[in-house]
């Protein structure tokens, strides 16, 4: 596991890139949604994938949560999967945010829509920062209305060596909701990511 | 090596629909996949608005998706599981699918022309009809399995496992909401004689016939199950002692009056019923009490319903 760890400099560099990508995403989303979007500077943490499920099980205790997964693939072997976690209570807020009201839309569709908007907007910014570009798989709901989502998360996380945990809080002028995003990155892609970070650091 | 020539044959042969729109959602291009399945000629509709080219589009929904692609320059997706199809296209499983239209997975991708300014959207449409058909079959199988898993093979009423599980739920519900709940346990009188006289097939015939008859006397919410052999149970939600006894007497009388025709012979049967109402007992205790009342009904001469009372316990001891 040790060879997958990041040095402090690498970690700071990644945090900075995430900040920039998040800032761009926030700007784009505000324009698109026609409301002021504030994305707090996210705190990132690199955690072993096996520890993730317990962390989120505690945070979403006693609440029905939904997990939406979206895979991404870049050049030079950089790839991974994002998982968005929502409280189901937020579904109504999300619906208003996306302007769903004029036609019948399932909750599942609403959640996959908002997930793909939020994650791809952020990820395409991040890809740009990493001088890469991503293609995306369609979002999938891993679990919904399920108190035992921690098991599902544990099962998904098992397949990945390292998880970049990005806590995002979305605040909008008229609406407020928060959700969590987790970036799961497999071992060999972590090595690629580190190499890219070293290249960026060398340019300064 | 010059590879431009590849593009046209690939787009023509591709087993995926490719539809390109401009920023005003006018049709710029679609490949053969779409042309053939929608019976359209690109030259005739090129430059027309999307909704004028394809009939019955979920246009408000689709435009919201396309807006996000255009403004955020990120892809959007649609899955057949949430929306079976976007564009009405024929599929290649006309016989095995119950749907007239192709189930579709769709990716909507942002494109920018070489001028760096003009924005377009590319819709990639994949045929998911096979997955749709498999899922329909799977759902049907699951439903059949669920039905088989809770049904008694001979009589078609609930089997003991499922019935007892439901009794547990009804007890919880009655306890939580303070609703009345009653239970009938009944047994065919002298079933052994029927079996001896008419054979086991005759006995089975009587079980099936009476299950059907009694089932027709119950409400949709009552739960009728085979407890074992010739013993059956009926859970009566929202029913107190008086109502339960009425139901039990009605069942008793109807069964006793019912004539069954088996192998040109007329058969009659009677049943004995134990009736009990729920007051905070455990499921085992509730069944035991119903059993006690049923036993007393038998002792008192059969073809009757007996309501459980604590005094019956003493009666039981005396006759034993």
């Amino acid at each position: 596991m040790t060879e997958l760890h990041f040095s402090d400099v690498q970690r700071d560099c990644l945090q900075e890139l995430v900040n920039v990508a998040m800032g761009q995403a926030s700007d784009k989303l505000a324009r698109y949604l026609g409301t002021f979007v504030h994305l707090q500077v996210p705190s990132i943490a690199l955690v072993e994938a096996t520890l993730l499920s317990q962390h989120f099980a505690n945070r979403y205790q006693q609440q029905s949560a939904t997990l939406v997964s979206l895979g991404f693939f870049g050049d030079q072997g950089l790839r991974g999967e994002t998982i968005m976690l929502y409280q189901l209570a937020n579904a109504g807020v999300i619906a208003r945010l996306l302007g769903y009201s004029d036609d019948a839309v399932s909750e599942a569709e609403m959640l996959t829509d908002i997930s793909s908007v939020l994650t791809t907007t952020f990820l395409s910014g991040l890809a740009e920062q990493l001088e890469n570009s991503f293609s995306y798989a369609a979002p999938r709901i891993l679990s919904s209305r399920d108190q035992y989502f921690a098991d599902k998360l544990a099962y998904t996380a098992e397949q990945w060596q390292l998880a970049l945990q990005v806590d995002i809080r979305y605040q909008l002028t008229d609406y407020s909701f928060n959700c969590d995003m987790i970036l799961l990155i497999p071992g060999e892609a972590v090595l690629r990511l580190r190499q890219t970070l070293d290249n960026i650091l060398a340019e300064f | 090596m010059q590879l431009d020539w590849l593009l046209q044959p690939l787009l023509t042969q591709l087993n995926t629909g490719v539809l390109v729109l401009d920023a005003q959602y006018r049709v710029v291009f679609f490949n053969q996949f779409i042309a053939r399945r929608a019976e359209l000629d690109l030259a005739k509709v090129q430059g027309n608005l999307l909704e004028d080219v394809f009939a019955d589009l979920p246009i408000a929904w689709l435009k919201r998706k396309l807006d996000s692609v255009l403004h955020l320059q990120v892809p959007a997706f649609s899955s057949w599981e949430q929306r079976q199809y976007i564009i009405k296209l024929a599929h290649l499983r006309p016989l095995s699918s119950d749907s007239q239209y192709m189930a579709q997975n769709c990716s909507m991708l942002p494109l920018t022309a070489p001028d760096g300014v003009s924005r377009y959207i590319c819709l990639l449409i994949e045929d998911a009809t096979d997955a749709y058909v498999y899922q329909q079959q799977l759902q049907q199988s699951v439903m059949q399995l669920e039905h088989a898993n809770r049904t008694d093979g001979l009589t078609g009423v609930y089997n003991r496992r499922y019935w007892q599980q439901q009794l547990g739920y009804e007890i919880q519900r009655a306890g939580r909401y303070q609703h009345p709940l009653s239970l009938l346990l009944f047994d065919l009188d002298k079933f052994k004689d029927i079996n001896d006289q008419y054979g086991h097939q005759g006995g089975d015939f009587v079980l099936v016939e009476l299950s059907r008859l009694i089932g027709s006397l119950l409400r949709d919410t009552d739960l009728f199950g085979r407890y074992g052999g010739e013993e059956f149970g009926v859970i009566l939600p929202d029913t107190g002692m008086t109502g339960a006894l009425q139901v039990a007497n009605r069942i008793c009388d109807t069964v006793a009056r019912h004539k069954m025709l088996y192998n040109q012979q007329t058969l009659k049967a009677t049943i004995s019923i134990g009736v009990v109402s729920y007051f905070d007992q455990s499921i085992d205790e509730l069944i035991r009490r119903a059993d006690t009342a049923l036993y007393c009904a038998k002792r008192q001469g059969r073809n009757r319903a007996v309501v459980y009372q604590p005094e019956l316990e003493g009666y039981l001891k005396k006759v034993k």
Side-chain angles (χ1 to χ4, degrees):
Chain A
M1 272 300 170
T2 27
E3 77 271 16
L4 295 180
H5 285 165
F6 283 55
S7 70
D8 286 350
V9 186
Q10 287 168 334
R11 194 200 161 283
D12 289 347
C13 177
L14 183 59
Q15 172 83 60
E16 194 49 46
L17 298 183
V18 167
N19 290 354
V20 174
M22 202 57 87
Q24 288 174 343
S26 153
D27 182 51
K28 275 186 175 178
L29 285 170
R31 284 168 204 265
Y32 169 60
L33 298 171
T35 175
F36 180 74
V37 180
H38 178 65
L39 294 168
Q40 277 183 350
V41 175
S43 66
I44 65 164
L46 291 159
V47 287
E48 277 187 38
T50 46
L51 301 176
L52 265 181
S53 66
Q54 197 48 50
H55 172 77
F56 284 100
N58 291 340
R59 182 185 300 211
Y60 284 83
Q61 221 170 12
Q62 303 301 320
Q63 288 159 337
S64 299
T66 299
L67 270 76
V68 183
S69 149
L70 188 140
F72 61 93
F73 230 109
D75 293 329
Q76 290 116 43
L78 191 54
R79 64 191 177 92
E81 182 175 344
T82 62
I83 292 182
M84 298 283 276
L85 286 114
Y86 306 88
Q87 291 166 26
L88 272 176
N90 283 329
V93 177
I94 295 169
R96 282 199 299 278
L97 186 61
L98 286 186
Y100 286 122
S101 61
D102 49 346
D103 51 16
V105 171
S106 70
E107 187 178 85
E109 186 165 21
M110 235 158 56
L111 291 168
T112 49
D113 271 9
I114 188 105
S115 300
S116 77
V117 165
L118 296 179
T119 43
T120 55
T121 309
F122 164 72
L123 283 174
S124 54
L126 186 64
E128 212 173 290
Q129 295 301 307
L130 294 167
E131 288 161 3
N132 209 315
S133 73
F134 294 153
S135 39
Y136 306 94
R140 280 200 77 82
I141 293 186
L142 296 180
S143 149
S144 180
R145 295 205 175 288
D146 186 354
Q147 307 228 346
Y148 303 101
F149 76 98
D151 296 341
K152 291 258 172 61
L153 186 56
Y155 177 76
T156 309
E158 224 170 58
Q159 337 247 350
W160 306 94
Q161 282 77 21
L162 182 94
L164 175 64
Q165 183 190 316
V166 187
D167 289 345
I168 313 174
R169 232 190 129 81
Y170 288 89
Q171 288 180 322
L172 298 105
T173 329
D174 308 321
Y175 308 98
S176 94
F177 81 99
N178 43 342
C179 59
D180 287 290
M181 182 170 79
I182 310 163
L183 279 176
L184 296 166
I185 301 167
E188 65 271 32
V190 172
L191 299 178
R192 300 283 184 176
L193 178 59
R194 256 188 1 195
Q195 186 57 49
T196 311
L197 293 173
D198 285 342
N199 293 346
I200 293 169
L201 286 164
E203 286 172 25
F204 284 97
Chain B
M1 187 187 167
Q2 184 59 254
L3 292 176
D4 287 354
W5 65 271
L6 269 174
L7 196 63
Q8 203 47 50
L10 275 181
L11 275 174
T12 307
Q13 306 277 338
L14 198 63
N15 211 12
T16 296
V18 180
L19 168 63
V20 180
L21 308 173
D22 67 13
Q24 281 74 46
Y25 307 148
R26 287 182 300 231
V27 172
V28 173
F29 170 83
F30 50 74
N31 67 349
Q32 245 76 350
F33 180 95
I34 292 179
R36 287 186 183 150
R37 285 164 180 77
E39 294 181 41
L40 285 172
D41 183 354
L42 178 60
K44 285 190 183 141
V45 296
Q46 204 166 29
N48 292 356
L49 284 171
L50 177 68
E51 61 261 47
D52 298 334
V53 176
F54 299 99
D56 302 327
L57 288 178
I59 196 69
W61 169 87
L62 186 57
K63 277 189 172 164
R64 197 164 47 222
K65 291 253 188 195
L66 297 174
D67 285 349
S68 79
V69 176
L70 214 51
H71 292 116
L72 295 170
Q73 288 292 298
V74 293
F77 303 93
S78 168
S79 158
W80 65 271
E81 286 168 287
Q82 282 130 35
R83 194 168 289 261
Q84 199 189 331
Y85 54 84
I86 300 176
I87 298 175
K88 287 183 174 175
L89 297 174
H91 59 72
L92 301 174
R93 299 274 180 277
L95 299 178
S96 50
S97 172
D98 62 3
S99 168
Q100 193 185 347
Y101 302 110
M102 178 200 293
Q104 297 157 16
N105 282 329
C106 179
S107 307
M108 303 162 211
L109 310 171
L111 295 179
T112 304
D115 64 12
V117 186
S118 314
R119 306 281 201 197
Y120 295 90
I121 297 172
C122 174
L123 282 79
L124 298 178
I125 295 168
E126 280 165 70
D127 186 346
T129 304
D130 284 340
Y132 169 79
V133 170
Y134 290 139
Q135 204 208 31
Q136 297 292 102
Q137 287 169 351
L138 186 67
Q139 267 174 0
Q140 213 169 1
S141 303
V142 167
M143 267 160 57
Q144 283 165 353
L145 273 176
E146 278 173 354
H147 183 259
N149 200 28
R150 60 172 188 251
T151 307
D152 175 60
L154 178 67
T155 60
V157 303
Y158 293 131
N159 61 29
R160 176 173 176 164
R161 190 191 51 75
Y162 181 80
W163 181 82
Q164 212 158 338
Q165 187 187 45
Q166 294 305 307
L167 180 59
Y169 294 149
E170 290 301 335
I171 284 179
Q172 279 180 11
R173 213 165 294 160
R176 192 181 313 139
Y177 301 110
Q178 298 293 303
H179 285 182
L181 171 68
S182 294
L183 176 67
L184 311 181
L185 217 55
F186 63 83
D187 195 279
L188 251 78
D189 294 330
K190 303 202 167 172
F191 187 60
K192 191 175 172 302
D193 293 354
I194 298 175
N195 272 329
D196 288 347
Q197 199 176 343
Y198 301 97
H200 284 283
Q201 283 181 326
D204 284 352
F205 168 78
V206 172
L207 291 176
V208 172
E209 182 73 8
L210 290 185
S211 296
R212 190 194 53 73
L213 176 70
I214 295 166
S216 72
L217 300 173
L218 299 172
R219 302 168 299 184
D220 284 348
T221 48
D222 299 334
L223 297 148
F224 183 17
R226 188 174 177 196
Y227 197 70
E230 69 273 25
E231 199 170 345
F232 293 81
V234 179
I235 306 166
L236 302 167
D238 292 311
T239 308
M241 182 60 76
T242 318
L245 185 59
Q246 279 172 1
V247 175
N249 282 329
R250 189 162 65 235
I251 292 175
C252 243
D253 295 346
T254 312
V255 168
R257 278 189 279 108
H258 186 65
K259 287 180 190 143
M260 294 171 277
L261 194 65
Y262 180 71
N263 280 355
Q264 281 94 44
Q265 289 173 291
T266 304
L267 258 90
K268 286 185 90 172
T270 60
I271 59 171
S272 301
I273 307 184
V275 186
V276 65
S277 275
Y278 169 75
F279 292 104
D280 286 335
Q281 307 92 333
S282 69
I283 180 167
D284 289 342
E285 177 61 13
L286 197 66
I287 290 176
R288 194 194 65 77
R289 288 185 183 186
D291 222 17
T292 303
L294 169 58
Y295 184 80
C296 291
K298 294 267 187 194
R299 299 295 307 186
Q300 289 173 17
R302 302 190 178 86
N303 188 23
R304 70 194 61 213
V306 168
V307 173
Y308 174 84
Q309 284 156 335
E311 298 79 65
L312 293 180
E313 305 277 356
Y315 175 77
L316 200 64
K317 273 182 205 129
K318 250 180 269 166
V319 293
K320 267 181 183 170

